[in-house]
Amino acid sequence: MSMLLLSCRSCGSGRLEEIISLGEIPLANSLLTAEELSQPEPRYPLDVVFCPTCSLVQITITMPPEKLFQNYFYFSSVSETMLHHSKELVDRLIQSRGLDADSLVVEVASNDGYLLQYFVYAGIPVLGIEPAQNVAQVAQQRGVSTITEFFSLDLARKLRAEGKEANVIIGNNVLAHVADLNGFIRGVKLLLKKEGVAIFEVPYVKDLVDRCEFDTIYHEHLCYFSLTALETLFKSHDLIIADVERLDIHGGSLRIFVKHPAAAGDHREAVQGLLAEEVNWGVRGFSFYRDFGSKVRRLQSTLCDLLLGLKSQGRRIVGYGAGAKASILLNIFGIGGEVLDFVVDLSPHKQGRFLPGCHVSIFPPTK
């Protein structure tokens, strides 16, 4: 059962200001079979709000995670970009952290083993935590030890009771999916060795607003982070963001390195520099976000006029990529089969299905 947000997911403040309402749309990754096209399709509100107390941007609805993730169509290994990005990080961590056969690397939301496989090749013990059973099964076939559960404080306690402590915890694009942020961070703190490091990648809210990336807003993504919001969240659990990097991946992301205070050291130049930048662009004020909604509507008008103009000339229009961003764009802008002939996608798990809401068919790229 879905729940509407009454207070901030991070700090608990009840003062939330609306940035944009994107209407009621289907779940972005709920790809349909031909048999399901004639059945009623659930739609849920997608409203984005800002917390002036801790500066966290978030949506107001929380879908049950088992509805979103226990049978999942996103396989990270399909993306060559993700594989290259992951291998670079693994090689760097093995060298910088001195990881070996006595270490343990834990990845939360480990998907199909796309990242942990590179540690396995190097002989370093790993543990993947991935709730989607169909995706975790692929990881296990790759030799990546994986448990099919959602990460939580209770799971961290269970793993610690089994004698497990992590030298490195990795969570790429998972924090945005977490409803109980504070419980999740407490679990990370418990599982992380005193000298260990936890590394998280999150889409950066500054890039989302500057580039009008409204298509990264969907029901799986509960939160949209600034470094200021992350600093407040981790500091409330006595954890320190020791370093930060800006990345181009996923439309602009942050990679943060989190440590226990005793292991963090005093060298936080990059963190302090970016926090100061955020103060300058107004991270703690609503005015930075005020015009986002009107930017989205202008983009909608421009794109729809372009597509309808092309269609009136007898052109055929197809889409490349049947990801969540495509689903969001088509549903929010009201683009369907009258404009788009079909979409193609590399993933065989998506081919033969239909995008939710707009019911556009998905084919292999050879089409």
Side-chain angles (χ1 to χ4, degrees), residues 6 30 36-37 65 77 81 90 93 97 132 146 176 182 203 207 214 241 256 263 292 318 323 332 344 365:
L6 299 175
S30 58
E36 292 170 326
L37 290 177
S77 292
T81 301
V90 170
L93 287 172
R97 306 297 300 181
T146 307
N182 291 290
D207 293 322
F214 71 93
I241 299 178
I256 60 170
F292 182 68
V318 302
I332 290 175
V344 301

Short mmCIF file of all heavy atoms in Angstrom, two decimals, residues 6 30 36-37 65 77 81 90 93 97 132 146 176 182 203 207 214 241 256 263 292 318 323 332 344 365:
data_model
loop_
_atom_site.label_atom_id
_atom_site.label_comp_id
_atom_site.label_asym_id
_atom_site.label_seq_id
_atom_site.Cartn_x
_atom_site.Cartn_y
_atom_site.Cartn_z
N LEU A 6 4.25 12.97 5.13
CA LEU A 6 3.80 14.05 6.01
C LEU A 6 4.96 14.85 6.58
O LEU A 6 4.77 15.97 7.05
CB LEU A 6 2.95 13.46 7.14
CG LEU A 6 1.67 12.72 6.73
CD1 LEU A 6 1.00 12.10 7.94
CD2 LEU A 6 0.72 13.66 5.99
N SER A 30 7.17 -0.51 -14.90
CA SER A 30 6.15 -1.57 -14.93
C SER A 30 5.79 -1.90 -16.37
O SER A 30 4.69 -1.60 -16.85
CB SER A 30 4.91 -1.16 -14.14
OG SER A 30 4.37 0.05 -14.66
N GLU A 36 -1.72 -7.74 -20.70
CA GLU A 36 -2.01 -6.72 -19.69
C GLU A 36 -2.51 -5.40 -20.27
O GLU A 36 -2.99 -4.55 -19.53
CB GLU A 36 -0.77 -6.47 -18.83
CG GLU A 36 -0.39 -7.65 -17.95
CD GLU A 36 0.97 -7.47 -17.28
OE1 GLU A 36 1.87 -6.87 -17.91
OE2 GLU A 36 1.14 -7.96 -16.15
N LEU A 37 -2.41 -5.23 -21.58
CA LEU A 37 -2.77 -3.95 -22.19
C LEU A 37 -4.24 -3.60 -21.98
O LEU A 37 -4.59 -2.42 -21.91
CB LEU A 37 -2.45 -3.97 -23.69
CG LEU A 37 -0.97 -3.99 -24.08
CD1 LEU A 37 -0.82 -4.07 -25.58
CD2 LEU A 37 -0.26 -2.75 -23.54
N PRO A 65 8.34 -1.08 -1.47
CA PRO A 65 9.53 -1.44 -2.25
C PRO A 65 9.39 -2.78 -2.97
O PRO A 65 9.92 -2.95 -4.07
CB PRO A 65 10.65 -1.47 -1.21
CG PRO A 65 9.98 -1.50 0.12
CD PRO A 65 8.66 -0.84 -0.05
N SER A 77 24.35 -4.72 -16.36
CA SER A 77 25.37 -5.22 -17.28
C SER A 77 25.04 -4.97 -18.74
O SER A 77 25.93 -5.11 -19.60
CB SER A 77 25.60 -6.71 -17.05
OG SER A 77 26.18 -6.94 -15.80
N THR A 81 28.57 1.51 -20.62
CA THR A 81 29.00 2.67 -19.84
C THR A 81 29.10 2.31 -18.36
O THR A 81 30.07 2.65 -17.68
CB THR A 81 28.00 3.83 -20.02
OG1 THR A 81 27.95 4.16 -21.40
CG2 THR A 81 28.43 5.05 -19.21
N VAL A 90 36.47 -0.12 -9.17
CA VAL A 90 37.00 -1.32 -8.53
C VAL A 90 38.53 -1.32 -8.55
O VAL A 90 39.18 -1.56 -7.52
CB VAL A 90 36.44 -2.59 -9.20
CG1 VAL A 90 37.18 -3.83 -8.71
CG2 VAL A 90 34.94 -2.72 -8.93
N LEU A 93 39.85 1.15 -6.05
CA LEU A 93 39.67 0.77 -4.64
C LEU A 93 40.63 -0.35 -4.23
O LEU A 93 41.15 -0.34 -3.11
CB LEU A 93 38.23 0.33 -4.39
CG LEU A 93 37.19 1.45 -4.37
CD1 LEU A 93 35.78 0.87 -4.31
CD2 LEU A 93 37.43 2.37 -3.17
N ARG A 97 42.87 1.00 -1.26
CA ARG A 97 42.49 0.43 0.04
C ARG A 97 43.28 -0.83 0.39
O ARG A 97 43.09 -1.39 1.46
CB ARG A 97 40.99 0.09 0.07
CG ARG A 97 40.05 1.22 -0.30
CD ARG A 97 40.11 2.39 0.66
NE ARG A 97 39.76 2.01 2.03
CZ ARG A 97 39.72 2.86 3.04
NH1 ARG A 97 40.07 4.13 2.86
NH2 ARG A 97 39.38 2.46 4.26
N ALA A 132 15.75 -7.89 -5.88
CA ALA A 132 15.07 -8.41 -7.07
C ALA A 132 15.59 -9.82 -7.37
O ALA A 132 16.73 -10.00 -7.78
CB ALA A 132 15.31 -7.49 -8.26
N THR A 146 25.31 -13.47 -3.39
CA THR A 146 24.25 -12.47 -3.30
C THR A 146 23.11 -12.97 -2.42
O THR A 146 22.70 -14.13 -2.54
CB THR A 146 23.69 -12.14 -4.70
OG1 THR A 146 24.76 -11.79 -5.57
CG2 THR A 146 22.68 -11.01 -4.65
N ALA A 176 18.64 7.08 -3.17
CA ALA A 176 17.43 7.75 -3.65
C ALA A 176 16.20 6.85 -3.55
O ALA A 176 15.07 7.33 -3.55
CB ALA A 176 17.61 8.21 -5.09
N ASN A 182 17.19 7.02 7.61
CA ASN A 182 17.94 6.97 8.87
C ASN A 182 18.23 5.54 9.31
O ASN A 182 19.33 5.24 9.77
CB ASN A 182 17.17 7.74 9.95
CG ASN A 182 17.16 9.23 9.68
OD1 ASN A 182 18.18 9.90 9.80
ND2 ASN A 182 16.01 9.77 9.28
N PRO A 203 22.30 10.82 -8.05
CA PRO A 203 22.09 11.93 -8.99
C PRO A 203 22.10 13.26 -8.23
O PRO A 203 21.58 13.34 -7.11
CB PRO A 203 20.71 11.63 -9.57
CG PRO A 203 20.54 10.15 -9.42
CD PRO A 203 21.22 9.82 -8.13
N ASP A 207 22.26 19.47 -10.98
CA ASP A 207 22.23 19.13 -12.40
C ASP A 207 20.80 18.87 -12.86
O ASP A 207 20.41 19.24 -13.97
CB ASP A 207 23.10 17.91 -12.68
CG ASP A 207 24.58 18.19 -12.45
OD1 ASP A 207 25.02 19.31 -12.79
OD2 ASP A 207 25.28 17.33 -11.92
N PHE A 214 13.70 16.47 -15.61
CA PHE A 214 12.48 16.01 -14.93
C PHE A 214 12.26 14.51 -15.12
O PHE A 214 11.59 13.87 -14.32
CB PHE A 214 11.26 16.77 -15.47
CG PHE A 214 10.91 16.38 -16.86
CD1 PHE A 214 9.98 15.38 -17.10
CD2 PHE A 214 11.55 16.96 -17.95
CE1 PHE A 214 9.69 14.98 -18.40
CE2 PHE A 214 11.27 16.58 -19.24
CZ PHE A 214 10.32 15.58 -19.47
N ILE A 241 31.42 12.70 5.69
CA ILE A 241 31.73 12.64 4.26
C ILE A 241 33.15 13.17 4.10
O ILE A 241 33.41 14.36 4.23
CB ILE A 241 30.73 13.47 3.43
CG1 ILE A 241 29.31 12.91 3.61
CG2 ILE A 241 31.13 13.44 1.95
CD1 ILE A 241 28.24 13.68 2.86
N ILE A 256 30.21 10.16 -3.07
CA ILE A 256 30.71 10.56 -1.75
C ILE A 256 31.40 9.38 -1.07
O ILE A 256 31.06 8.22 -1.29
CB ILE A 256 29.58 11.10 -0.85
CG1 ILE A 256 28.47 10.05 -0.63
CG2 ILE A 256 29.00 12.39 -1.43
CD1 ILE A 256 27.45 10.44 0.43
N ALA A 263 38.44 7.70 11.30
CA ALA A 263 39.17 7.34 10.08
C ALA A 263 39.08 8.42 9.01
O ALA A 263 39.73 8.32 7.97
CB ALA A 263 38.60 6.03 9.51
N PHE A 292 11.34 25.65 -11.78
CA PHE A 292 11.55 24.34 -12.40
C PHE A 292 10.29 23.87 -13.14
O PHE A 292 10.37 23.37 -14.27
CB PHE A 292 11.95 23.32 -11.33
CG PHE A 292 12.24 21.94 -11.88
CD1 PHE A 292 13.34 21.71 -12.68
CD2 PHE A 292 11.40 20.86 -11.57
CE1 PHE A 292 13.61 20.44 -13.19
CE2 PHE A 292 11.67 19.60 -12.06
CZ PHE A 292 12.77 19.39 -12.88
N VAL A 318 10.72 6.97 -34.07
CA VAL A 318 10.94 5.86 -33.14
C VAL A 318 11.83 6.33 -32.00
O VAL A 318 12.51 7.35 -32.11
CB VAL A 318 11.57 4.62 -33.84
CG1 VAL A 318 10.69 4.15 -34.98
CG2 VAL A 318 12.96 4.93 -34.36
N GLY A 323 14.01 2.82 -21.12
CA GLY A 323 14.27 2.94 -19.69
C GLY A 323 13.21 3.75 -18.98
O GLY A 323 12.25 4.24 -19.58
N ILE A 332 4.42 11.96 -18.96
CA ILE A 332 4.19 13.34 -18.48
C ILE A 332 3.85 14.27 -19.64
O ILE A 332 3.00 15.16 -19.51
CB ILE A 332 5.43 13.83 -17.70
CG1 ILE A 332 5.52 13.08 -16.37
CG2 ILE A 332 5.34 15.33 -17.44
CD1 ILE A 332 6.76 13.39 -15.57
N VAL A 344 13.07 0.93 -29.26
CA VAL A 344 13.95 -0.24 -29.24
C VAL A 344 14.79 -0.20 -27.98
O VAL A 344 15.02 0.86 -27.41
CB VAL A 344 14.85 -0.31 -30.49
CG1 VAL A 344 14.01 -0.37 -31.76
CG2 VAL A 344 15.81 0.88 -30.55
N PRO A 365 17.05 -3.50 -31.12
CA PRO A 365 17.59 -2.42 -31.95
C PRO A 365 17.66 -2.77 -33.45
O PRO A 365 17.66 -1.88 -34.29
CB PRO A 365 18.99 -2.18 -31.38
CG PRO A 365 18.87 -2.61 -29.96
CD PRO A 365 17.93 -3.77 -29.96
#
